[in-house]
Amino acid sequence: MKKLLIIALALLMTLSFAACPLGGGDDEQPPANDKTPAATPDEDIGLSDKDLEDLENALEILEALKPEGWSENNYNMYIYDVWDEDALPDCLPGPIEGMKPSQTSIKDYKHDDLQSDYSVGLIHYNSHEEYRSYNVSFYATNDQLLSYVDALKANGFSGGTSDSLEEDTWIEFHFSTDGWYVYIFFNTNDDDDGAFDGHATVYATDSLHERPKTFAGTPLPQTGAVSYDVMSYFYIESYNYTTDEMGGFDFPLNTNDAFPDSTEQSWWTWLTYYGADHEAAKAYTQQLVNEGWTLTSEYEDYSGDYYSFLEKDGVYASSKCYGGYEHEVGFSDMVENLSY
C-alpha cells in the first residue's frame, strides 16, 4: 500500500501541473508597449523550468514504481508466483512461513468481471465500477491457513467460517473490521500434487455499502458488512390476511417512522452482517435490552452459534449468529416469523 500511496501522490502532482493556468497572474503581465521576445512553448503552458523538472521526476517515479513483472488486462492487474505485500492493504497479514504464493492481483474500479459476477464473497454490487478488491492466492496446509486466520484476527478482524477443514472440499471464511471486508476461499481439491492441503485466495475490499443506523427508530448493528446497498433498496415481506396472499413493500431506513401496521397483514424482515461473530450478536442483544426491549429467550453453544428473541410493544426482534461469521437481525409482528 505504501507503493500505491506514492504512485497516487505522483499522479496528483502530474495532474496539478496539467491544471496550471496559462501564463502568470495579472500582476505579472508586461506593459502593452513592452517588446518582449515571443513566448517559448514552455511558457505557453505556464510551466517553469523547475515545473518541468518536477513533472519529469514525477513521471519517472510512476514508471519506476510500476511493479516489475506485473501485467494487466480488462479484468485486473496481476503478477504470478509472488506475494507482493507492497501492493496489498496494510490490514492484510503477510505470508505464513511455508506457504507457496501463486498470484497477487488487484481489481480496480475500471476493471470489469469476466462473468459479470460483481461481488466480493457475499458482498454484491450493481456494476464493476462500484468496487475494487486486493487479492492474494497461495498454497497452504490447514495449520498454515489457520495461522493466517489468527493473524487476521490479531489485526482486528472478526468473523470465521461454519465449515470444517476436515470434512469439506472447499471452505469459505468471512471477516470484517472497520472499513474492510475479507473473503477467503480455500479449495482443498487443488493441493499442488499433495504438497499442501489446499489452495487459498484472499479477497479484501474497502468498497463497503453504507450500514443503516436505524429501523423504525430502533438502532441497528454497526459491525460487519451488509451484503448489498440496503439504503437504496430495503424490502419487507408480508402476508395479507384479507387476500390470503404473500407480498411485500419498501420501507425507509434511518427514519423514526413507526413499525409497519399489522392490522391487515403480518410482516417480517432481516438484515445480514457478514464478518460479524457471535460476540457482535450478543452485544446487539444487550443494546436492544438497553433500548427497552424485553429478552424472552437466549441460546449459545460451544460452536459459536447464538440466538436471542426480544419483544417490545407487540413487535419482536431476533439477533442470531451461526458459524461465527454471519450476524442476522430480524424484526416482525409475530415471533413465529423469526423462528426458522
Side-chain angles (χ1 to χ4, degrees), residues 308-328:
S308 67
F309 293 96
L310 306 98
E311 187 270 338
K312 182 181 180 182
D313 299 331
V315 175
Y316 296 88
S318 178
S319 179
K320 301 180 180 181
C321 183
Y322 295 121
Y325 75 89
E326 177 181 326
H327 179 200
E328 287 188 326

Side-chain angles (χ1 to χ4, degrees), residues 182-249:
V182 169
Y183 168 68
I184 303 176
F185 180 80
F186 190 57
N187 182 6
T188 56
N189 287 321
D190 184 5
D191 58 8
D192 195 28
D193 295 328
F196 297 90
D197 292 319
H199 181 263
T201 302
V202 179
Y203 304 85
T205 183
D206 57 354
S207 305
L208 303 185
H209 300 297
E210 179 184 356
R211 284 188 297 247
K213 297 186 182 302
T214 62
F215 168 60
T218 300
L220 290 170
Q222 296 301 301
T223 302
V226 293
S227 59
Y228 68 99
D229 183 10
V230 296
M231 292 303 302
S232 298
Y233 178 72
F234 182 63
Y235 189 74
I236 290 182
E237 296 181 89
S238 65
Y239 168 74
N240 190 297
Y241 298 124
T242 303
T243 62
D244 194 28
E245 292 179 344
M246 302 291 292
F249 51 91

Side-chain angles (χ1 to χ4, degrees), residues 142 145 161-173 185-190 197-199:
N142 290 345
L145 179 64
T161 178
S162 60
D163 301 314
S164 169
L165 287 169
E166 305 300 329
E167 299 176 2
D168 299 286
T169 56
W170 48 266
I171 312 295
E172 293 179 331
F173 294 81
F185 180 80
F186 190 57
N187 182 6
T188 56
N189 287 321
D190 184 5
D197 292 319
H199 181 263

Side-chain angles (χ1 to χ4, degrees), residues 257-277:
D257 292 2
F259 286 105
D261 180 31
S262 300
T263 305
E264 296 183 357
Q265 66 181 352
S266 178
W267 61 269
W268 61 95
T269 191
W270 292 93
L271 281 161
T272 304
Y273 302 82
Y274 293 104
D277 57 21

Side-chain angles (χ1 to χ4, degrees), residues 285-295 310-313:
T285 297
Q286 184 58 51
Q287 183 178 2
L288 289 182
V289 170
N290 295 341
E291 291 287 326
W293 291 72
T294 299
L295 180 63
L310 306 98
E311 187 270 338
K312 182 181 180 182
D313 299 331

Side-chain angles (χ1 to χ4, degrees), residues 1-200:
M1 285 301 288
K2 295 177 182 176
K3 182 185 296 182
L4 294 180
L5 178 60
I6 296 174
I7 292 175
L9 290 174
L11 282 172
L12 182 62
M13 185 182 298
T14 304
L15 293 174
S16 68
F17 290 136
C20 287
L22 299 181
D26 293 340
D27 59 343
E28 296 177 357
Q29 295 299 322
N33 61 355
D34 186 15
K35 296 181 180 181
T36 56
T40 66
D42 292 345
E43 293 170 337
D44 285 342
I45 62 174
L47 295 181
S48 67
D49 291 341
K50 179 64 167 59
D51 290 336
L52 288 173
E53 181 180 352
D54 290 343
L55 175 58
E56 184 177 351
N57 289 338
L59 294 175
E60 288 178 356
I61 290 173
L62 286 175
E63 181 62 27
L65 288 177
K66 182 180 179 181
E68 183 179 357
W70 278 69
S71 301
E72 184 173 12
N73 54 35
N74 292 333
Y75 309 109
N76 61 7
M77 292 171 32
Y78 59 93
I79 183 171
Y80 290 123
D81 303 323
V82 174
W83 190 312
D84 193 338
E85 292 186 69
D86 288 336
L88 297 172
D90 295 336
C91 61
L92 287 183
I96 304 299
E97 183 177 358
M99 287 179 169
K100 179 182 176 182
S102 58
Q103 185 180 26
T104 303
S105 64
I106 298 174
K107 184 270 173 212
D108 210 339
Y109 298 112
K110 65 180 180 180
H111 296 123
D112 205 342
D113 184 87
L114 182 61
Q115 298 177 333
S116 297
D117 178 18
Y118 304 130
S119 63
V120 179
L122 295 174
I123 310 302
H124 301 282
Y125 307 88
N126 293 321
S127 76
H128 68 88
E129 297 173 331
E130 293 184 357
Y131 72 103
R132 62 183 173 188
S133 65
Y134 303 87
N135 318 314
V136 60
S137 301
F138 52 87
Y139 290 97
T141 65
N142 290 345
D143 288 341
Q144 290 166 348
L145 179 64
L146 293 178
S147 294
Y148 187 83
V149 165
D150 289 339
L152 271 175
K153 293 180 178 178
N155 283 359
F157 283 88
S158 63
T161 178
S162 60
D163 301 314
S164 169
L165 287 169
E166 305 300 329
E167 299 176 2
D168 299 286
T169 56
W170 48 266
I171 312 295
E172 293 179 331
F173 294 81
H174 303 267
F175 295 91
S176 71
T177 188
D178 188 26
W180 288 90
Y181 165 77
V182 169
Y183 168 68
I184 303 176
F185 180 80
F186 190 57
N187 182 6
T188 56
N189 287 321
D190 184 5
D191 58 8
D192 195 28
D193 295 328
F196 297 90
D197 292 319
H199 181 263

